[in-house]
């Protein structure tokens, strides 16, 4: 690092005390000098995604938080519910750094990464958090942004876009011809609508509000079912019968959701057999739980789905591990080429690092509401 390279930067940390108190703070942290294949990035745009809330809040409710510190160095303390404190006991005492994604400018580079010095990059950082002013990442964890893309446009080029693409890959790898997607008006869900339209992959979207259904129809979605409608069960079965969906990607994950999806797919498959079998249909139905928007335990009624069904947890790294490097490179290239269109993320509020720990702001982003994605601008 040269003399102008910063040695410290503000970093948001989340620490669980042994008594079950979660402490959030902005601290002045020393920056890791980049190793030969690493770069130090000054962060300019960092999304707040659902996956960031787990390290940040650990199941704590901002409504019960105590806010202290100063405007520039806020501090938050949240007493975790006993079940959350128990579930996260493994992190007691560790100052976790939340934040996976982001974009910014390379301000220092190791010997093998000099070509990136001064370039703006988009990144996914698995080891160090992006809720800070700077982050050090390997060259494999970042990619140069095309000149015509702002850091804001490139802030989430890996997490949601690659997940949406990998969902479509999994459908094909597992031999399905159509899929169901829940919480489908999410940022990721809107990308999936555009991907499936481009790829000719039939998609059944499940949402929970009329305005979300309209939003997706305005994007061109053909099959949208609203779980708040009295005839939801019939809507879902019709869409499954029309598309031939035998797999679901469920971001809700908890409660009755995976079971309802299995049951609907089994009902359609059993009806298509033309005769009754006590063993159910001969169609394999799969539900991939890939989010946990509903934190309650998953409830399955095993007798309702026939014999051929499968519920599993799905995560992006597993699918990427199944794909050849050239396929992943093609997916990355498709994302970088489509960040203004197919993979565009819409951020409704831009906030400073200190505002991440502001009472009203925390309550708003913790809701994970449709169309209310927050972007941190650590340069503010
Ligand atoms: N497994 C992986 O590898 C992976 C990778 C990336 C993302 N993800 C998951 O992808 C999902 C979408 O992420 P995103 O960033 O696109 O989300 P987002 O834009 O923040 O949107 C969240 C959506 O979820 C809905 N929602 C929240 N709680 C719900 C509930 N209990 N039941 C039904 N709908 C609910 C919201 O609708 P309302 O407005 O009605 O509340 C909103 O439409 C998240 O679950 C995330 O964890 C998983």
């Amino acid at each position: 690092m040269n003399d102008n390279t910063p040695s410290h930067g503000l970093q948001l940390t989340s620490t669980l005390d042994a008594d079950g108190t979660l402490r959030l703070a902005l601290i002045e942290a020393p920056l890791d000098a980049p190793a030969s294949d690493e770069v130090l990035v000054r962060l300019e745009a960092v999304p707040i995604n659902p996956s960031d809330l787990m390290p940040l809040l650990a199941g704590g409710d901002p409504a019960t938080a105590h806010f202290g510190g100063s405007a520039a160095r806020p501090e938050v303390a949240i007493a975790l519910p006993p079940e959350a404190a128990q579930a996260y006991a493994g992190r007691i005492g560790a100052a976790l750094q939340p934040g996976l994604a982001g974009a910014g400018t390379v301000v220092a580079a190791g010997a093998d990464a000099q070509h990136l010095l001064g370039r703006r990059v988009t990144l996914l950082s698995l080891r160090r958090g992006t809720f800070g002013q700077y982050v050090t990442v390997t060259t494999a964890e970042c990619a140069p942004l095309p000149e015509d893309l702002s850091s804001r446009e490139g802030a989430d080029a890996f997490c949601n876009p690659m997940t949406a693409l990998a969902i479509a890959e999994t459908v094909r790898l597992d031999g399905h011809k159509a899929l169901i997607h829940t919480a489908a008006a999410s940022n990721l869900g809107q990308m999936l609508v555009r991907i499936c339209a481009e790829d000719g992959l039939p998609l059944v979207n499940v949402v929970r509000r009329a305005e979300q259904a309209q939003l997706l129809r305005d994007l061109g979605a053909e099959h949208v079912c609203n779980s708040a409608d009295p005839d939801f069960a019939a809507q879902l079965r019709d869409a499954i019968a029309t598309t031939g969906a035998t797999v679901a990607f469920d971001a809700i994950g908890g409660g009755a959701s995976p079971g309802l999806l299995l049951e609907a797919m089994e009902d359609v498959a059993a009806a298509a057999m033309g005769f009754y079998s006590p063993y159910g249909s001969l169609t394999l139905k799969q539900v991939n739980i890939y989010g946990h928007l509903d934190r309650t335990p998953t409830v399955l009624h095993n007798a309702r789905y026939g014999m051929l069904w499968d519920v599993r947890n799905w995560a992006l790294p597993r699918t990427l591990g199944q794909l050849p490097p050239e396929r992943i490179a093609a997916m990355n290239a498709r994302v970088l080429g489509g960040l203004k269109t197919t993979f565009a993320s819409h951020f409704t509020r831009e906030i400073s690092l200190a505002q991440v720990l502001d009472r009203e702001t925390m309550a708003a982003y913790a809701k994970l509401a449709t169309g209310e994605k927050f972007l941190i601008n650590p340069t503010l």
Side-chain angles (χ1 to χ4, degrees):
M1 296 210 279
N2 65 39
D3 289 347
N4 299 324
T5 309
S7 60
H8 286 70
L10 282 181
Q11 182 72 50
L12 196 152
T13 59
S14 171
T15 311
L16 180 60
D17 291 348
D19 68 356
T21 305
L22 186 76
R23 298 193 182 280
L24 310 177
L26 266 186
I27 60 161
E28 192 79 31
L31 300 175
D32 291 325
S36 58
D37 70 334
E38 289 183 332
V39 291
L40 175 66
V41 179
R42 185 185 63 233
L43 290 159
E44 291 152 3
V46 176
I48 301 182
N49 283 324
S51 50
D52 299 318
L53 296 191
M54 191 254 286
L56 183 73
L57 296 177
D61 181 356
T64 65
H66 292 279
F67 293 82
S70 64
R73 294 283 190 286
E75 293 171 3
V76 180
I78 308 176
L80 293 192
E83 64 277 14
Q86 193 182 9
Y88 293 109
R91 56 174 283 183
I92 287 174
L96 299 192
Q97 300 179 357
L100 281 171
T105 302
V106 174
V107 293
D112 297 336
Q114 287 295 311
H115 57 289
L116 290 172
L117 200 54
R119 291 289 306 264
R120 274 184 319 103
V121 293
T122 176
L123 58 91
L124 185 75
S125 176
L126 294 177
R127 283 175 302 157
R128 304 168 179 109
T130 56
F131 287 12
Q133 289 178 311
Y134 296 90
V135 70
T136 304
V137 290
T138 66
T139 50
E141 290 174 319
C142 68
L145 275 175
E147 287 296 321
D148 66 333
L149 280 175
S150 65
S151 292
R152 182 186 174 102
E153 288 169 323
D156 194 356
F158 288 113
C159 200
N160 280 346
M162 286 297 276
T163 301
L165 274 181
I167 284 175
E169 288 290 330
T170 303
V171 173
R172 290 185 278 256
L173 280 174
D174 290 348
H176 300 282
K177 63 175 197 177
L179 74 155
I180 308 171
H181 185 224
T182 64
S186 66
N187 177 270
L188 190 153
Q190 296 177 42
M191 292 178 194
L192 195 60
V193 167
R194 295 187 283 256
I195 291 167
C196 288
E198 288 170 16
D199 295 1
L201 182 61
L203 169 68
V204 177
N205 299 278
V206 177
V207 297
R208 63 173 177 178
R209 301 179 207 280
E211 58 271 28
Q212 295 168 341
Q214 193 54 50
L215 186 156
L216 294 187
R217 288 201 181 93
D218 291 346
L219 286 180
E222 208 174 324
H223 306 283
V224 188
C225 309
N226 181 357
S227 61
D229 287 347
D231 65 342
F232 169 64
Q235 288 179 21
L236 184 58
R237 280 156 181 75
D238 284 351
I240 292 169
T242 305
T243 57
T246 46
V247 63
F249 283 79
D250 188 15
I252 300 170
S257 185
L260 288 175
L261 299 168
L262 278 179
E263 196 173 338
M265 290 189 281
E266 170 61 8
D267 284 355
V268 173
M273 286 206 305
F275 63 94
Y276 173 77
S277 165
Y279 307 108
S281 75
L282 293 174
T283 301
L284 173 64
K285 292 87 46 188
Q286 295 186 297
V287 174
N288 295 285
I289 296 177
Y290 84 99
H292 297 276
L293 292 166
D294 178 343
R295 306 295 304 174
T296 64
T298 307
V299 179
L300 293 173
H301 297 280
N302 303 27
R304 296 184 186 169
Y305 322 130
M307 287 204 304
L308 301 182
W309 58 274
D310 195 4
V311 175
R312 65 183 177 183
N313 196 62
W314 184 98
L316 174 62
R318 181 164 180 262
T319 302
L320 292 183
Q322 293 173 316
L323 295 170
E326 57 275 16
R327 185 69 196 143
I328 297 172
M331 290 161 68
N332 275 321
R334 182 173 174 186
V335 171
L336 284 179
L339 280 175
K340 284 181 188 283
T341 53
T342 311
F343 303 101
S345 288
H346 298 288
F347 300 104
T348 40
R349 277 184 63 182
E350 186 167 299
I351 58 174
S352 66
L353 272 172
Q355 281 176 293
V356 179
L357 301 184
D358 162 78
R359 182 191 300 271
E360 171 266 330
T361 314
M362 277 187 103
Y365 66 68
K367 277 198 293 191
L368 297 175
T370 305
E372 283 189 36
K373 212 76 41 256
F374 282 64
L375 185 77
I376 307 169
N377 180 346
T379 68
L380 292 177

